[in-house]
Amino acid sequence: NIKFKKYHSILNDKSKLKFLKINNFNKINGKIISALNLAFIAYNFKYNLRTYNHLFWPDGIFSSDVTNVKKIPGRNFFDQIIKEINKQKKNFKKIYVLGNVPSISMKWIKNNLKHSFKHKGLPYGSIDKINIELKKINFSKKSIIILTLPTPKQELIANKIIKNYPKSNIICIGGSINI
């Protein structure tokens, strides 16, 4: 149940928004998951970030204006996702954390994610510069990829990755890992 008319053209899609239900995480395949907030809406208008395979969690003040879904802060969403990944690891070949993550946040991930993962820092700069580094990673065909880049870079990168690895799930978590 979404108040769609006002934001319909901004989202560039005639379908209803699809929100991720955490307990269905193990059933999704080939999805990009990111926060539906004002930053996403603003950049989507400019870069057309949203794809057919996009799921959202409601975040920010914007979510209360657009949806009837309760706002979920990114830190809470990420904590729930980690718990669900721990339950459903058998459904994915590898887990990657991509982006710059402070050591205290990396320690939190290691303590909470009960499965091995690969971390790769990504450079500051343009999408092209980041793509050069991504080409050095040999992703598994069915992976969980956690991006810690800001919007819109994380969604632009997610769209590039999903084209080559369509069975992966990409979680655009931004700075939530650091909170």
Side-chain angles (χ1 to χ4, degrees):
N1 299 329
I2 296 170
K3 301 171 191 170
F4 223 5
K5 294 177 186 172
K6 186 175 178 183
Y7 300 100
H8 181 298
S9 62
I10 294 173
L11 290 170
N12 300 328
D13 194 304
K14 293 181 180 178
S15 65
K16 289 187 176 183
L17 294 171
K18 296 175 188 126
F19 288 94
L20 173 67
K21 294 181 179 157
I22 297 290
N23 58 353
N24 289 339
F25 183 74
N26 64 323
K27 297 175 185 171
I28 64 173
N29 226 353
K31 298 294 182 191
I32 297 170
I33 303 163
S34 59
L36 180 67
N37 55 28
L38 192 54
F40 181 90
I41 295 299
Y43 284 114
N44 183 67
F45 185 71
K46 183 175 181 181
Y47 295 107
N48 196 22
L49 301 176
R50 188 172 181 214
T51 65
Y52 71 93
N53 55 358
H54 222 120
L55 294 173
F56 296 96
W57 82 87
D59 191 22
I61 295 169
F62 176 77
S63 65
S64 62
D65 186 37
V66 176
T67 73
N68 293 330
V69 181
K70 184 182 174 198
K71 173 190 181 306
I72 303 171
R75 64 186 176 277
N76 294 349
F77 173 79
F78 189 61
D79 188 47
Q80 290 176 18
I81 283 288
I82 290 288
K83 289 174 184 170
E84 199 58 35
I85 290 170
N86 286 336
K87 289 180 195 174
Q88 305 298 333
K89 170 61 172 89
K90 65 184 178 214
N91 294 323
F92 302 97
K93 298 222 184 263
K94 287 193 179 175
I95 299 171
Y96 301 88
V97 177
L98 305 178
N100 298 317
V101 180
S103 58
I104 192 164
S105 298
M106 189 57 70
K107 184 177 179 181
W108 183 89
I109 295 170
K110 286 178 182 175
N111 289 339
N112 288 281
L113 186 59
K114 305 301 181 202
H115 305 283
S116 63
F117 65 93
K118 294 187 178 200
H119 172 249
K120 170 116 176 108
L122 296 174
Y124 293 99
S126 69
I127 296 294
D128 292 335
K129 192 173 180 180
I130 294 169
N131 274 327
I132 291 168
E133 290 302 310
L134 288 176
K135 288 178 184 176
K136 297 176 185 177
I137 302 171
N138 187 17
F139 291 109
S140 294
K141 291 192 186 258
K142 191 172 180 186
S143 304
I144 297 174
I145 301 165
I146 300 168
L147 291 174
T148 68
L149 300 169
T151 296
K153 284 184 182 178
Q154 63 184 0
E155 287 85 6
L156 292 168
I157 292 296
N159 284 324
K160 288 185 181 276
I161 293 172
I162 204 92
K163 287 177 186 172
N164 294 321
Y165 303 94
K167 294 189 181 226
S168 293
N169 287 326
I170 303 171
I171 304 166
C172 299
I173 201 70
S176 298
I177 235 172
N178 302 329
I179 297 175

